[in-house]
Amino acid sequence: MKIRKIANVLILAMCLSLLAGCGEKKNEGAAAVIGKYSKFITLGQYKGVEYTPSHTEVTDEDIQSDIDSLVYQGTTDEKIMDRTATMGDTVNVDYVGTIDGVEFDGGNTNGAGTEITLGSSGYIDDFDEQIAGHTPGDAFDVNVTFPDGYTDANLAGKDAVFKTTLNYIVIHVAPEYNDELVASLTDSSTTEEFEAAKRKEREEQNSETDARNDRENILKSIIDQTTFKEFPEQEMQEAIDNQIAYFQDLADSNGLDVDTLMMYYGFQSSDDLKDYLKENVQDEMRRKMVVSTIAELEGIKLDDQEYQDKVKEILDANGIKTIEEFEKNTMYDEEDIYMSLLEEKVVDFLVANAVKVEAEE
């Protein structure tokens, strides 16, 4: 068990697929998504939409970040054995934690050693301060009290003793940034070549990101100009219910109650969570409604081969080997995939028919 305070490390995956797997759907291929929502909305202008192309420059700070990363990659550790550890030092320690003389699950490094920086380890109570002042090779007890609100209720509020050994102090030795370092760690021969390669790489990445942003901005502009007369309430409620169930499963799988998990994400109550989910479901639904309606008006079609290619892409990306295994994955169904494909085609159309307005100097 880590004795660090739990940070917000769980990923709120529900936001990425709010309408996927939301109950039993009758899958009818492309026919299930094209024009499905046209009766609910009145489109505004969607051809000839003006937009200012995104352009993200590569800065000297970006290149310096790449240099710093390379230096970090080449940094080596030196073990210091002949001085006392002080606050701010990085140290390697082993420990075995007990409560009332009984070892508890996860409170043992098992002799593998773990590195912490004294003063910023995140460990409970004054764990770090009790290591400071010791010399490598020292064995000693660290006495702490788990906080009352500790996430593991079996440990909350209890006194614990960690039999600790300070193995060594760690000094990070950074190499000089020069041609030799570049040649040893990259495909470049000189610092000049390395920086030019990184600049080109970042320019390509920025160009791809800018293009994605342009596509998103154009679609968002059209959504903002659309009148939504009503929403398909049953479909929305199924999506919300499905994500609440997902939230419960996420809490269960991490050994937490739902209220505690909600607090990690800033929700004060289950009503806050439901409001959040409803808002996100509505945003996703607006997107689907607009895409579906434009596809109908412009005669944008999908075929079975496109669907099969997309399924294969998802299988490969998720390490799934068979269609049968894929079909058991409740995060996707046929309609979700067709909608994803349809959005890509519709946005291609929208971008092709949009009008670039260059930014003023």
Side-chain angles (χ1 to χ4, degrees):
M1 180 207 75
K2 287 186 177 180
I3 57 174
R4 299 176 188 269
K5 297 173 183 176
I6 291 183
N8 184 10
V9 296
L10 303 173
I11 298 175
L12 194 54
M14 65 186 74
C15 298
L16 305 179
S17 186
L18 281 163
L19 297 180
C22 55
E24 294 296 326
K25 296 181 184 177
K26 182 180 180 181
N27 294 324
E28 300 171 352
V33 295
I34 295 176
K36 178 180 179 181
Y37 305 105
S38 57
K39 67 181 180 181
F40 296 116
I41 71 174
T42 301
L43 281 171
Q45 179 184 358
Y46 65 89
K47 288 188 281 192
V49 173
E50 294 185 351
Y51 75 102
T52 299
S54 304
H55 181 66
T56 306
E57 295 281 357
V58 178
T59 67
D60 291 341
E61 287 76 13
D62 292 332
I63 303 305
Q64 185 59 53
S65 176
D66 291 326
I67 293 171
D68 293 342
S69 294
L70 183 69
V71 170
Y72 179 80
Q73 184 182 346
T75 296
T76 57
D77 291 340
E78 180 181 342
K79 297 179 181 180
I80 304 299
M81 305 294 295
D82 59 356
R83 72 168 175 82
T84 299
T86 60
M87 297 299 287
D89 280 339
T90 298
V91 297
N92 184 286
V93 296
D94 277 301
Y95 50 74
V96 177
T98 60
I99 293 177
D100 296 330
V102 178
E103 184 177 339
F104 53 87
D105 291 341
N108 190 338
T109 59
N110 296 307
T114 187
E115 280 191 15
I116 62 173
T117 299
L118 301 181
S120 59
S121 70
Y123 280 27
I124 61 172
D125 211 348
D126 58 349
F127 191 95
D128 296 8
E129 288 80 357
Q130 294 183 62
I131 295 174
H134 288 281
T135 302
D138 285 356
F140 50 93
D141 288 346
V142 171
N143 297 282
V144 296
T145 301
F146 284 94
D148 290 335
Y150 195 69
T151 53
D152 186 340
N154 294 321
L155 302 177
K158 294 185 178 179
D159 296 330
V161 178
F162 287 88
K163 294 189 176 300
T164 304
T165 299
L166 174 56
N167 297 321
Y168 50 85
I169 300 167
V170 182
I171 300 295
H172 301 302
V173 182
E176 181 182 353
Y177 174 62
N178 54 27
D179 293 347
E180 182 181 358
L181 178 68
V182 167
S184 67
L185 296 177
T186 74
D187 293 331
S188 301
S189 300
T190 66
T191 57
E192 185 177 20
E193 286 181 13
F194 171 74
E195 291 168 27
K198 283 298 179 183
R199 186 172 294 275
K200 180 180 179 182
E201 180 182 318
R202 282 186 175 271
E203 286 172 348
E204 291 172 351
Q205 292 172 347
N206 288 352
S207 178
E208 292 175 0
T209 300
D210 289 340
R212 287 195 298 270
N213 289 339
D214 289 343
R215 292 170 65 86
E216 184 63 27
N217 290 338
I218 290 168
L219 179 56
K220 183 178 185 301
S221 175
I222 294 166
I223 292 171
D224 289 343
Q225 295 180 59
T226 298
T227 300
F228 297 91
K229 293 177 284 189
E230 60 178 303
F231 291 96
E233 293 298 333
Q234 181 177 351
E235 185 174 344
M236 287 185 57
Q237 190 58 54
E238 287 176 351
I240 293 170
D241 292 344
N242 187 67
Q243 293 308 317
I244 290 173
Y246 177 85
F247 204 92
Q248 179 66 63
D249 290 343
L250 186 63
D252 292 343
S253 66
N254 286 277
L256 302 172
D257 60 74
V258 173
D259 290 338
T260 300
L261 185 63
M262 283 194 298
M263 286 191 295
Y264 289 147
Y265 293 107
F267 302 119
Q268 300 302 312
S269 67
S270 58
D271 287 339
D272 285 346
L273 172 61
K274 290 176 182 177
D275 290 343
Y276 171 81
L277 292 177
K278 182 177 181 180
E279 181 180 345
N280 279 276
V281 167
Q282 284 183 340
D283 287 344
E284 185 66 20
M285 184 61 71
R286 289 186 183 96
R287 192 181 191 95
K288 293 174 68 173
M289 294 165 83
V290 167
V291 165
S292 171
T293 303
I294 292 174
E296 181 184 33
L297 292 173
E298 296 299 331
I300 298 173
K301 305 295 184 183
L302 295 171
D303 60 47
D304 290 340
Q305 186 58 53
E306 289 172 310
Y307 172 78
Q308 295 299 330
D309 291 344
K310 188 65 174 180
V311 169
K312 185 177 185 305
E313 179 185 325
I314 295 173
L315 292 179
D316 293 343
N318 292 277
I320 301 173
K321 300 187 182 301
T322 66
I323 292 292
E324 290 73 22
E325 184 180 354
F326 165 74
E327 290 175 345
K328 292 179 182 178
N329 184 346
T330 58
M331 292 306 292
Y332 296 97
D333 69 6
E334 184 179 284
E335 184 175 316
D336 297 319
I337 296 170
Y338 272 114
M339 183 58 73
S340 173
L341 288 167
L342 190 65
E343 178 175 314
E344 188 173 347
K345 280 195 168 186
V346 167
V347 176
D348 284 344
F349 170 84
L350 297 175
V351 171
N353 287 274
V355 177
K356 292 182 181 180
V357 178
E358 297 296 336
E360 296 182 5
E361 294 292 337

